């Protein structure tokens, strides 16, 4: 997957939790939890959604690397999101 | 129409999910009711057969109105007692085309009155309220409901407030190790440990678990922890995790995730809103140090948790950075005193030092 495709998956996962999220208005370097007002249950659901879409196991110790949109794209790419076929 | 919280005055029947003649058992969802807190699924509390549905979809009725009659399991259909109907009610029923056999009378000796008939008639008012409400009025309704409940609380309940700083190192270390072993789908949030500690603490101090009703304290039949859940776009509900003291952490986590999802989707059950015996509010995610809550009547206590943050603390005589959290208790002074509240907060502290036993 390209970084742009990973980004689409991330934004889609965020919109399931915060439907008002608009891809264009997310500051790629802002902390997502504060920026989008996510609580710990929301963040767990975000991780679950990424796990479901990308098949990547995300250990709790790595949660900090998902804290911004840019960080999450880089982290998921490094975990091999590119190797997973895009679900239809 | 059950009271889904002390602030509810009326509800609108949206639809019947069971119909006359259907067998129902305890816990079945028989109807959906629209309230200030969203659409709520109404459960039955006994086994039997639904005999009569007395309220029609779209009708808004006050709390306490009989929605339906249920014949108990194993009981033969009651021979219809001679129905008493006032002459005026009989005439009005004929005019409006209402089936008198479907009406339970509220007049003298159970007689059906003109008001009973008019209530059963599908009138223009019922048609008007059948229009699904849109979200903006819902938000306004919810604000009004919260305002009513909190105003009543501040007017009637003499609150006392206690706080205790709890060292969370043991709980967090245990949780970190536990979650490392668990797949992402089975991970546990710190909030679950807090809820379980509250539930077990209430077993030690049951005077904080229950209701203040008619000038006296009534102990809760179980420990049903109401969890304050913020809704996106504003508003708040605090549905119950039933019998939280009896559930292991994995089950409690599943129930909490389900409860939060349904609260935000507007699909809570009637019992979840009507029977919490205490409320827990966890505002740590938002970064506040402590939450001093307002008790939700008729409950007699509310527990607040702030964020867990590293601070300087002394351990064995040396200053060290420790993950600390402030727990607070808002107590109803009519039901308990600060002493019981202190014993309760100390119990929560002790329980959180041994997370493996939660």
């Amino acid at each position: 997957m390209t970084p742009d495709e990973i980004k689409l998956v991330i934004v889609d996962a965020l919109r399931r939790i915060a439907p008002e999220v608009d891809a264009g208005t997310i500051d790629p370097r802002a902390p997502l939890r504060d920026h989008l007002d996510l609580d710990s249950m929301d963040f767990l659901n975000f991780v679950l959604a990424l796990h479901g879409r990308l098949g990547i196991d995300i250990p709790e110790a790595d949660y900090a690397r998902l804290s911004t949109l840019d960080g999450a794209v880089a982290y998921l790419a490094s975990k091999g999101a590119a190797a997973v076929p895009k679900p239809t | 129409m059950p009271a889904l919280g002390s602030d509810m005055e009326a509800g609108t029947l949206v639809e019947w999910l069971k119909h006359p003649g259907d067998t129902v058992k305890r816990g079945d969802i028989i109807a959906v009711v629209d309230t200030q807190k969203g659409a709520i699924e109404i459960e039955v509390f006994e086994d039997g057969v639904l005999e009569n549905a007395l309220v029609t979809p779209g009708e808004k009725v006050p709390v306490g109105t009989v929605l339906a009659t249920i014949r108990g399991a194993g009981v033969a259909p009651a021979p219809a007692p001679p129905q008493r109907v006032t002459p005026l009610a009989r005439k009005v029923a004929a005019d409006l085309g209402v089936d008198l056999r479907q009406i339970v009378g509220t007049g003298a000796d159970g007689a059906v009155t003109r008001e009973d008939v008019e209530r059963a008639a599908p009138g223009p008012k019922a048609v008007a309220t059948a229009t699904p409400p849109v979200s903006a009025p819902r938000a306004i309704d919810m604000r009004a409901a919260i305002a009513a409940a909190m105003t009543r609380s501040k007017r009637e309940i003499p609150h006392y407030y206690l706080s205790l700083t709890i060292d969370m190192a043991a709980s967090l270390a245990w949780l970190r190790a536990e979650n490392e072993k668990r797949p992402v789908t089975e991970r546990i949030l710190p909030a679950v440990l807090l809820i379980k500690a509250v539930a077990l603490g209430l077993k030690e101090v049951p005077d904080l678990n229950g209701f203040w009703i008619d000038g006296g304290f009534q102990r809760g039949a179980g420990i049903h922890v109401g969890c304050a859940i913020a809704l996106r776009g504003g508003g708040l509900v605090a549905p119950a995790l039933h019998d939280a003291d009896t559930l292991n952490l994995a089950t409690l986590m599943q129930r909490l995730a389900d409860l939060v999802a349904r609260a935000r989707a507007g699909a809570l059950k009637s019992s979840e809103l009507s029977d919490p015996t205490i409320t827990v509010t966890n505002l740590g995610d938002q970064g506040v140090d402590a939450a001093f809550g307002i008790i939700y009547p008729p409950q007699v206590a509310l527990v607040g948790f702030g964020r867990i943050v590293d601070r300087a603390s002394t351990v064995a005589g040396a200053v060290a950075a420790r993950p600390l959290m402030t727990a607070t208790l808002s107590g109803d002074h009519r039901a308990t005193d600060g002493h019981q509240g202190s014993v309760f907060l100390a119990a929560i502290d002790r329980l959180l030092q041994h997370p493996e036993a939660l």
Side-chain angles (χ1 to χ4, degrees):
Chain A
M1 286 175 112
T2 66
D4 279 349
E5 285 171 331
I6 296 174
K7 192 171 163 181
L8 283 178
V9 170
I10 294 170
V11 172
D12 184 56
L14 288 171
R15 289 182 69 150
R16 284 161 197 262
I17 297 154
E20 72 279 10
V21 166
D22 178 351
T25 63
I26 299 179
D27 178 345
R29 282 180 289 278
L32 289 170
R33 287 184 64 152
D34 296 339
H35 192 43
L36 304 179
D37 191 17
L38 307 181
D39 62 20
S40 48
M41 183 69 81
D42 292 329
F43 195 78
L44 180 59
N45 284 330
F46 172 56
V47 173
L48 276 171
L50 295 177
H51 170 76
R53 277 294 298 275
L54 301 171
I56 292 174
D57 188 44
I58 303 169
E60 205 177 54
D62 287 352
Y63 282 7
R65 299 179 64 182
L66 297 173
S67 61
T68 66
L69 185 56
D70 276 358
V73 171
Y75 172 74
L76 294 171
S78 77
K79 291 283 279 187
V84 178
K86 190 179 178 183
T88 51
Chain B
M1 178 62 66
L4 307 168
S6 62
D7 43 348
M8 175 170 156
E9 290 174 353
T12 303
L13 183 80
V14 177
E15 62 173 327
W16 285 108
L17 302 178
K18 299 281 184 181
H19 302 281
D22 287 355
T23 301
V24 295
K25 59 181 193 301
R26 187 184 161 85
D28 279 356
I29 310 294
I30 61 165
V32 177
V33 165
D34 193 44
T35 73
Q36 291 165 314
K37 291 175 182 164
I40 307 297
E41 297 176 339
I42 303 296
E43 301 156 273
V44 285
F45 292 94
E46 53 193 307
D47 298 344
V49 174
L50 187 68
E51 274 197 330
N52 290 316
L54 303 172
V55 175
T56 51
E59 215 177 326
K60 183 172 184 176
V61 296
V63 164
T65 305
V66 176
L67 294 178
T69 55
I70 292 167
R71 173 160 43 85
V75 179
Q83 191 183 33
R84 291 168 52 87
V85 183
T86 67
L88 182 56
R90 200 175 293 280
K91 177 181 183 307
V92 174
D95 290 347
L96 296 175
V98 171
D99 183 356
L100 283 167
R101 290 168 301 177
Q102 302 297 320
I103 297 178
V104 172
T106 61
D109 295 331
V112 175
T113 64
R114 183 184 71 173
E115 288 75 22
D116 293 331
V117 172
E118 287 174 345
R119 208 175 301 131
K125 180 181 161 229
V127 173
T129 53
T131 317
V134 294
S135 59
R138 163 67 46 71
I140 293 168
D141 280 356
M142 186 176 276
R143 281 258 64 84
I146 293 168
M150 296 300 97
T151 304
R152 179 185 157 198
S153 176
K154 282 282 182 173
R155 190 173 57 234
E156 295 178 4
I157 302 178
H159 287 64
Y160 66 86
Y161 303 98
L162 306 173
S163 82
L164 181 67
T165 301
I166 297 177
D167 190 321
M168 291 294 287
S171 276
L172 292 183
W174 180 84
L175 200 55
R176 200 174 300 121
E178 189 64 26
N179 280 340
E180 254 174 46
K181 291 183 276 180
R182 292 171 175 269
V184 61
T185 48
E186 291 172 23
R187 282 184 201 147
I188 294 171
L189 292 173
V192 171
L193 270 61
L194 303 179
I195 290 167
K196 185 67 185 286
V198 165
L200 294 179
L202 288 171
K203 285 178 81 166
E204 299 181 27
V205 189
D207 285 351
L208 290 167
N209 185 62
F211 313 102
W212 187 267
I213 293 173
D214 296 334
F217 175 67
Q218 289 179 14
R219 196 168 281 185
I223 294 178
H224 308 316
V225 178
C227 301
I229 298 169
L231 305 179
R232 287 201 86 79
L236 173 77
V237 286
L241 280 173
H242 290 132
D243 302 307
D245 56 315
T246 67
L247 304 175
N248 65 35
L249 295 175
T251 307
L252 210 46
M253 178 65 204
Q254 286 170 6
R255 299 271 172 90
L256 180 65
D258 175 56
L259 199 65
V260 171
R262 286 189 294 108
R264 291 183 172 155
L268 292 169
K269 295 180 186 147
S270 51
S271 63
E272 291 167 337
L273 281 174
S274 58
D275 70 5
T277 53
I278 190 167
T279 296
V280 171
T281 183
N282 183 351
L283 291 174
D285 281 338
Q286 282 68 39
V288 298
D289 290 330
F292 296 90
I294 302 169
I295 297 167
Y296 188 61
Q299 296 165 31
V300 298
L302 180 145
V303 183
F305 293 110
R307 64 175 168 160
I308 303 169
V309 64
D310 280 350
R311 291 182 194 283
S313 176
T314 50
V315 180
V319 176
R322 307 285 295 181
L324 304 182
M325 175 191 73
T326 301
T328 63
L329 175 75
S330 305
D332 183 339
H333 231 318
R334 298 171 302 182
T336 60
D337 300 316
H339 173 73
Q340 286 132 301
S342 303
V343 170
F344 173 64
L345 284 181
I348 292 177
D349 186 2
R350 173 170 37 79
L351 290 157
L352 288 172
Q353 302 315 315
H354 301 283
E356 70 287 348
L358 285 173

